[in-house]
Amino acid sequence: MEFSKAYGVSNKANSKALTTSSIFGIASLSKAFTAAAIAMLVEEGKLNWTDKVKDHIKGFQLSDDYVTSQFTIEDLLSHRSGFDTFDGDLLWYGTNYSREEIVQRFSKYPMTYDFRTKYGYQNIMFILAGEVVEEVSGMTWDQFIEDRIFKPLEMNSSYTSISKIPEGADIAMPHVKGELDDLRNYDNSGGAAAISSNVEDLSKWIQFWLNEGIVGEDTLMQKATIRKLFNIHMAIPPGGFDRSNGIEFKGYGLGWFLMDYDNNKVAHHGGGLPGYISKIYIVPSQKLGGIILTNGETSLPAAMMY
């Protein structure tokens, strides 16, 4: 790691200083872990990217029967489901519904677009992807992430649930509108947003990608698989801000946003929950990556990435 530093406080009430080992909710940065878990199962021959979700999740149903019959594993991870951004999120946010029940209730949600025609950011699909990991591996999504990713990468301060964070741990408490907020449980968001981690551990996660899936003497993921994850599967039209910064192409891969920036391919993702905003980015051609975690609500992480 070339540089790491903490600024500010973990708790406004007692002015405790943040450190690089402080644990933050990383929200949607969790999605890349779920995509990696699916990719590992594909490499093991337990899944194919083109497998139909209905063949792995008993009772899987969406509001359109044709889409239900054609919906693939790859569709789950690329935000091309036909639902709009954040459709169905109130099924998990602030509720005590289980992951399974969220998926069941979402089965009646009306589709917004034609299938595979338009980008729509979808947390429910990543919750469902976590359920696929469980069904295919015989392990819970949490256990798979812990055993197959956290342990080999020695991400010893990363957790799939706040209930697993040890008592007395250095937690960066969330602050909403500048005020200290409660630590909230998002277990039911599962593969979409449930992970907590810190700068030190996520630096190891970045290094995993920069080393093309090799950790020590072990290859945890093949180069060809990483290329697939880092290829655009759903195009996103560049906006005015993008074009003014020289970005001509952007889209979503499998668990990652992708764009061209300063003649380099960049894989990145943001995360946001009340009191937490984060950003991760990887520039493979430059062997460069970074992670910015905040326990407030600020646009600083995106600005720092650029």
Side-chain angles (χ1 to χ4, degrees):
M1 192 187 325
E2 293 294 328
F3 175 82
S4 64
K5 189 171 176 62
Y7 303 84
V9 299
S10 62
N11 186 329
K12 184 177 178 181
N14 60 20
S15 298
K16 181 182 177 183
L18 283 168
T19 71
T20 56
S21 62
S22 298
I23 299 166
F24 295 72
I26 67 169
S28 286
L29 271 56
S30 305
K31 290 180 171 66
F33 289 85
T34 301
I38 292 284
M40 290 174 177
L41 291 168
V42 170
E43 287 191 347
E44 292 171 13
K46 296 179 179 178
L47 270 178
N48 287 304
W49 293 111
T50 55
D51 282 358
K52 303 299 191 292
V53 173
K54 67 181 179 61
D55 292 335
H56 294 286
I57 299 294
K58 184 178 179 180
F60 169 68
Q61 181 68 46
L62 296 173
S63 57
D64 185 297
D65 289 340
Y66 173 77
V67 176
T68 301
S69 71
Q70 298 301 307
F71 209 91
T72 68
I73 299 300
E74 194 171 297
D75 292 324
L76 281 177
L77 305 177
S78 51
H79 299 309
R80 62 189 190 194
S81 61
F83 295 99
D84 204 358
T85 294
F86 302 144
D87 273 354
D89 273 5
L90 293 182
L91 287 171
W92 63 269
Y93 181 79
T95 77
N96 59 3
Y97 296 148
S98 68
R99 299 167 190 172
E100 183 180 16
E101 186 174 1
I102 290 165
V103 171
Q104 290 173 347
R105 287 175 175 268
F106 191 69
S107 67
K108 301 183 186 302
Y109 205 100
M111 302 188 72
T112 308
Y113 312 119
D114 289 336
F115 183 38
R116 297 178 183 155
T117 61
K118 191 171 181 179
Y119 164 80
Y121 188 83
Q122 253 301 310
N123 286 303
I124 301 293
M125 295 301 121
F126 273 82
I127 294 173
L128 179 53
E131 295 297 283
V132 171
V133 170
E134 178 169 339
E135 185 66 28
V136 173
S137 71
M139 306 163 68
T140 64
W141 170 83
D142 306 69
Q143 187 180 359
F144 191 98
I145 298 299
E146 291 165 5
D147 290 354
R148 298 292 301 277
I149 299 177
F150 290 169
K151 286 182 181 178
L153 269 62
E154 297 183 355
M155 297 176 65
N156 299 322
S157 296
S158 297
Y159 306 93
T160 58
S161 168
I162 63 167
S163 66
K164 298 182 181 184
I165 300 175
E167 187 175 351
D170 180 9
I171 298 175
M173 293 295 293
H175 293 73
V176 175
K177 296 181 179 178
E179 298 301 322
L180 179 66
D181 196 31
D182 294 330
L183 197 63
R184 302 176 190 274
N185 185 302
Y186 298 104
D187 284 5
N188 64 355
S189 71
I195 293 175
S196 298
S197 188
N198 62 19
V199 164
E200 294 170 6
D201 276 9
L202 290 168
S203 295
K204 298 173 184 176
W205 177 235
I206 291 169
Q207 196 65 55
F208 165 78
W209 297 102
L210 293 177
N211 286 344
E212 299 181 309
I214 297 173
V215 179
E217 300 297 320
D218 297 325
T219 299
L220 299 187
M221 190 176 293
Q222 301 293 328
K223 291 181 183 179
T225 300
I226 293 175
R227 285 195 295 270
K228 183 173 181 68
L229 297 175
F230 282 4
N231 280 339
I232 290 177
H233 293 264
M234 186 67 214
I236 303 172
F241 172 83
D242 300 314
R243 291 190 295 273
S244 69
N245 285 280
I247 298 169
E248 297 295 335
F249 303 98
K250 60 186 289 189
Y252 203 84
L254 299 173
W256 294 91
F257 286 98
L258 300 160
M259 66 180 179
D260 69 306
Y261 185 72
D262 196 25
N263 296 317
N264 290 282
K265 181 178 185 176
V266 181
H268 65 101
H269 215 290
L273 284 169
Y276 291 117
I277 302 292
S278 55
K279 193 75 177 181
I280 190 169
Y281 61 91
I282 296 169
V283 190
S285 62
Q286 300 294 325
K287 292 294 182 182
L288 170 70
I291 175 71
I292 304 115
L293 303 175
T294 72
N295 59 335
E297 297 174 322
T298 169
S299 58
L300 186 62
M304 289 180 71
M305 177 186 74
Y306 284 104

